[in-house]
Amino acid sequence: MTLNGGGSGAGGSRGGGQERERRRGSTPWGPAPPLHRRSMPVDERDLQAALTPGALTAAAAGTGTQGPRLDWPEDSEDSLSSGGSDSDESVYKVLLLGAPGVGKSALARIFGGVEDGPEAEAAGHTYDRSIVVDGEEASLMVYDIWEQDGGRWLPGHCMAMGDAYVIVYSVTDKGSFEKASELRVQLRRARQTDDVPIILVGNKSDLVRSREVSVDEGRACAVVFDCKFIETSAALHHNVQALFEGVVRQIRLRRDSKEANARRQAGTRRRESLGKKAKRFLGRIVARNSRKMAFRAKSKSCHDLSVL
Ligand SMILES: Nc1nc2c(ncn2[C@@H]2O[C@H](COP(=O)(O)OP(=O)(O)OP(=O)(O)O)[C@@H](O)[C@H]2O)c(=O)[nH]1
């Protein structure tokens, strides 16, 4: 659970006290800000609460479980533009999935601002934090509960409760990369009708010499499985901020396009002439024919977490 001193693969040793002393990498997010985590460790009540529609929204609205907003560090463009106090009150639930030892907890803890040590042990598996992205505040609840506590958390529950999913593999472990594809398939089955954002994360990019999965393989996988892609190093805190900001952007983009579609459909239903209907039909045929082009465009954009 702690950041190792390098050289360990995805299945690397997990969380001894000595390793904690050897935590590597700088902490460019600055000193850990005051945390406002929800009740931890996670227990059955937390999961039930998460599965109850609106429960987390209520929490965000000030039932005492959510603390003050945390900004990104000084040098972050977004924290500088953090004038936005017109915040969205909803809390986005983000699930971390992936094979054991790939660095899910390490990423979650960086997000939560939890330092290694006794605090990390006590922190449990959920982290909530408000961040300012593109001048607008967003509250995220990050769940690091996948196959935790002896598999007590049923995969079905995990797959049902997220507003976004971060599927992590280790670039030093091909097996974890294959597992990530499996998880993507499972997720697609579980959320067939939902357009939930999924971000494929190749973690441990600092372990250059023991790399087993190339950037191109990661990107190709993301294109095939229709998700976004980023490589991170929890050890170096590299791209972790970009990852969680990207999660927020992906959620917002879908929310906005859903709203725009609903508005368009409402307007279209009222006014659509026969001619327009025909045009729409032809448009669909053209779209089908240009799948190849779309595939190419996607492979260009899958690493850009600020576009759909
Ligand atoms: N070098 C390096 N080590 C990392 C990185 N991220 C995590 N680790 C190490 O990998 C090991 C596993 O990390 P965890 O965060 O516990 O992985 P996990 O996916 O939460 O594992 P489970 O709790 O078993 O599911 C620990 O020794 C971490 O220190 C990274 O980016 N680079």
Side-chain angles (χ1 to χ4, degrees), residues 60 69 83-90 130-132 135-139 252 255:
R69 192 195 75 209
S85 58
D86 48 335
S87 66
D88 184 344
E89 285 297 308
S90 59
S130 292
I131 58 176
V132 177
E136 193 190 335
E137 189 178 320
S139 296
R252 283 182 186 158
R255 179 199 61 192

Side-chain angles (χ1 to χ4, degrees), residues 196-243:
V196 281
I198 298 168
I199 291 139
L200 181 68
V201 177
N203 189 41
K204 305 197 186 185
S205 61
D206 57 294
L207 298 178
V208 180
R209 283 195 217 150
S210 33
R211 188 184 267 274
E212 290 181 4
V213 185
S214 71
V215 179
D216 285 345
E217 282 175 292
R219 193 178 295 143
C221 179
V223 174
V224 168
F225 287 107
D226 193 21
C227 49
K228 289 290 170 180
F229 172 69
I230 191 168
E231 281 204 350
T232 58
S233 164
L236 303 178
H237 287 219
H238 176 65
N239 267 350
V240 182
Q241 179 176 344
L243 165 63

Side-chain angles (χ1 to χ4, degrees), residues 1-4 13-14 101-106 203-204 206 234-235:
M1 297 291 183
T2 53
L3 299 178
N4 64 18
S13 65
R14 303 173 49 213
V102 295
K104 299 183 294 296
S105 303
N203 189 41
K204 305 197 186 185
D206 57 294

Side-chain angles (χ1 to χ4, degrees), residues 43-281:
D43 66 11
E44 203 65 49
R45 283 161 303 174
D46 277 320
L47 190 58
Q48 286 309 324
L51 290 167
T52 308
L56 290 170
T57 309
T63 49
T65 56
Q66 176 111 359
R69 192 195 75 209
L70 301 177
D71 284 337
W72 297 120
E74 293 281 299
D75 59 351
S76 157
E77 199 181 293
D78 282 320
S79 63
L80 290 173
S81 62
S82 67
S85 58
D86 48 335
S87 66
D88 184 344
E89 285 297 308
S90 59
V91 177
Y92 300 132
K93 299 183 283 290
V94 181
L95 267 284
L96 291 169
L97 312 179
V102 295
K104 299 183 294 296
S105 303
L107 292 168
R109 285 177 184 168
I110 292 170
F111 169 79
V114 177
E115 291 293 329
D116 293 341
E119 194 193 2
E121 294 305 318
H125 305 297
T126 60
Y127 304 83
D128 79 345
R129 183 171 178 179
S130 292
I131 58 176
V132 177
V133 181
D134 303 327
E136 193 190 335
E137 189 178 320
S139 296
L140 292 190
M141 178 76 78
V142 172
Y143 290 83
D144 174 29
I145 58 174
W146 186 247
E147 292 184 349
Q148 290 291 340
D149 298 338
R152 206 156 63 89
W153 304 109
L154 295 175
H157 280 176
C158 290
M159 299 235 170
M161 66 190 271
D163 294 311
Y165 292 86
V166 172
I167 302 181
V168 188
Y169 66 90
S170 165
V171 300
T172 64
D173 178 3
K174 196 86 172 182
S176 72
F177 182 58
E178 278 151 19
K179 177 73 183 170
S181 301
E182 267 173 46
L183 286 168
R184 176 66 187 94
V185 171
Q186 266 178 269
L187 199 50
R188 184 185 279 160
R189 261 191 225 128
R191 303 291 294 267
Q192 276 173 18
T193 53
D194 304 330
D195 185 18
V196 281
I198 298 168
I199 291 139
L200 181 68
V201 177
N203 189 41
K204 305 197 186 185
S205 61
D206 57 294
L207 298 178
V208 180
R209 283 195 217 150
S210 33
R211 188 184 267 274
E212 290 181 4
V213 185
S214 71
V215 179
D216 285 345
E217 282 175 292
R219 193 178 295 143
C221 179
V223 174
V224 168
F225 287 107
D226 193 21
C227 49
K228 289 290 170 180
F229 172 69
I230 191 168
E231 281 204 350
T232 58
S233 164
L236 303 178
H237 287 219
H238 176 65
N239 267 350
V240 182
Q241 179 176 344
L243 165 63
F244 287 103
E245 288 182 353
V247 167
V248 172
R249 291 191 178 108
Q250 288 300 306
I251 293 172
R252 283 182 186 158
L253 284 164
R254 277 165 181 77
R255 179 199 61 192
D256 294 348
S257 95
K258 216 165 150 189
E259 282 171 9
N261 276 347
R263 268 200 305 275
R264 212 174 302 129
Q265 268 176 11
T268 312
R269 244 177 262 130
R270 275 199 301 273
R271 297 187 304 270
E272 195 169 57
S273 66
L274 212 61
K276 272 192 184 160
K277 273 186 191 156
K279 217 172 175 181
R280 203 149 52 87
F281 177 70

